[in-house]
Amino acid sequence: MSKPAILQIGPYPQWDQEPLDDAFQVHRYFEAADKAKLLAEVGPSIRGIATRGELGADRAMIEACPNLEVISVYGVGFDAVDLQACRERAIRVTNTPDVLTNDVADLGIAMMLCQSRGMIGAESWVRDGSWAEKGLYPLKRRVWGRRAGVLGLGRIGFEVAKRLKGFDMQIAYSDVDAKPYASELTFVADPVELARQSDFLFVTLAASATTRHIVGREVIEALGPDGMLINISRASNIDEDALLQALETGRLGWAALDVFEGEPKLNPRFLALDNVLLQPHHASGTVETRKAMGQLLRDNLAAHFAGQTLPTPVL
């Protein structure tokens, strides 16, 4: 029996690439010099798409594959997949939740600590001789005992909140409604009010049309000149222009960001700021988690083509 043909949208680590190649007839979209020509040639044979959360699969790609049955996303976010196009053609969609939750939460906490305590600048202070020449590093701000807000208390948001408890912080959250599993946390329905009550605001929402720019000017200014915004979700949840203006003018104190519009080509205005910590969208970037993500991506594809229940369906 011939292997199912799949379209691979972006590269994976070698430990994932080899078993993917063994199990499927893989067409590497990301390697094609003429991507439209590749789709025209192999599109009719494609039964599955293996993609990454930030790459997704748009309507044009989906329509170029008339026999497409399943899209498997390497990542928890699936906002870059045209779900409406998939619904219209009964195409299954899967992602890789849970396996990356704890690593993403860990990085969010690390970003808060790193930015609040000025650890990047402090290391440079040692390395460039400033410690010996200028003396002690400028004072920064404490974390423990302060106020934290979590915008979106799903899997990742809840793990962030659990970690924040270890710093004896006052913790509140916003979501579509109060969560029964979060009785020890304070529910604040309005994101603006949540920001007003927070020193650190973590954005851990799933991205959708509803949440696009939910962190806009009002939320950012409510967080204020002594506040810090930490985004480990999706760039679309934040109005980047409003964020940049607030950081440039001091209406927001600090930001720590793992995601950006148009990444990896982020807005160059970010590079001129010394009150923002920039990370290369690597919240799930540990060997252990990436291996688990790759395995789950393949498990979803294999289950579909074997006629079995999908481990982690979105559609």
Side-chain angles (χ1 to χ4, degrees):
M1 182 180 296
S2 61
K3 299 177 183 178
I6 66 168
L7 188 68
Q8 181 183 345
I9 308 306
Y12 300 127
Q14 195 60 33
W15 59 64
D16 290 323
Q17 192 65 58
E18 290 179 0
L20 193 71
D21 291 341
D22 288 343
F24 305 101
Q25 181 184 352
V26 179
H27 297 279
R28 293 180 176 80
Y29 179 80
F30 61 96
E31 290 183 350
D34 188 335
K35 292 177 171 53
K37 180 180 179 182
L38 175 69
L39 280 178
E41 291 175 350
V42 307
S45 69
I46 296 298
R47 297 176 60 195
I49 288 178
T51 187
R52 300 203 311 251
E54 77 278 16
L55 300 176
D58 61 18
R59 179 177 287 272
M61 179 179 290
I62 291 167
E63 291 180 347
C65 303
N67 296 302
L68 182 64
E69 302 169 21
V70 62
I71 297 174
S72 189
V73 179
Y74 178 92
V76 68
F78 48 83
D79 50 295
V81 175
D82 191 322
L83 296 182
Q84 183 56 39
C86 293
R87 291 188 186 99
E88 292 169 7
R89 294 177 46 193
I91 295 167
R92 305 302 306 273
V93 178
T94 69
N95 65 342
T96 60
D98 297 321
V99 295
L100 51 70
T101 298
N102 286 290
D103 276 341
V104 175
D106 281 353
L107 189 76
I109 299 300
M111 290 164 69
M112 172 187 69
L113 289 167
C114 187
Q115 182 70 322
S116 190
R117 296 301 302 271
M119 293 174 68
I120 302 297
E123 194 203 26
S124 297
W125 192 261
V126 176
R127 288 183 179 275
D128 67 11
S130 294
W131 189 14
E133 295 173 9
K134 302 176 184 178
L136 296 177
Y137 187 60
L139 299 179
K140 300 302 176 181
R141 298 297 300 271
R142 72 167 47 156
V143 167
W144 69 268
R146 297 179 73 194
R147 305 171 304 165
V150 181
L151 183 53
L153 204 73
R155 295 178 180 93
I156 293 170
F158 188 60
E159 289 298 326
V160 167
K162 284 168 59 177
R163 286 155 173 75
L164 292 171
K165 291 178 183 179
F167 296 94
D168 294 325
M169 301 179 86
Q170 302 172 52
I171 308 166
Y173 72 96
S174 283
D175 211 306
V176 292
D177 50 29
K179 302 301 180 185
Y181 52 80
S183 58
E184 296 180 1
L185 309 179
T186 301
F187 174 63
V188 180
D190 179 17
V192 176
E193 184 57 31
L194 178 70
R196 188 171 290 115
Q197 297 180 20
S198 301
D199 298 306
F200 303 96
L201 182 63
F202 289 82
V203 185
T204 52
L205 289 162
S208 67
T210 304
T211 66
R212 179 171 176 77
H213 290 184
I214 190 170
V215 179
R217 181 183 56 80
E218 287 187 87
V219 170
I220 292 167
E221 294 195 356
L223 189 54
D226 290 325
M228 182 186 299
L229 180 70
I230 300 136
N231 190 12
I232 48 173
S233 63
R234 284 290 197 221
S236 63
N237 288 330
I238 294 179
D239 181 339
E240 278 198 358
D241 189 58
L243 174 61
L244 281 162
Q245 288 182 28
L247 288 167
E248 289 166 345
T249 60
R251 297 198 311 277
L252 176 66
W254 302 271
L257 309 171
D258 188 45
V259 288
F260 305 87
E261 295 281 4
E263 62 185 43
K265 296 180 180 179
L266 68 161
N267 191 318
R269 289 164 65 189
F270 281 116
L271 304 178
L273 292 168
D274 60 7
N275 57 346
V276 59
L277 174 67
L278 309 173
Q279 296 290 288
H281 198 158
H282 74 136
S284 65
T286 67
V287 171
E288 296 87 350
T289 283
R290 291 294 171 85
K291 285 185 174 180
M293 288 168 62
Q295 184 65 59
L296 187 50
L297 173 136
R298 297 191 303 278
D299 288 347
N300 275 299
L301 289 170
H304 172 78
F305 292 119
Q308 299 170 353
T309 301
L310 297 177
T312 51
V314 173
L315 286 181

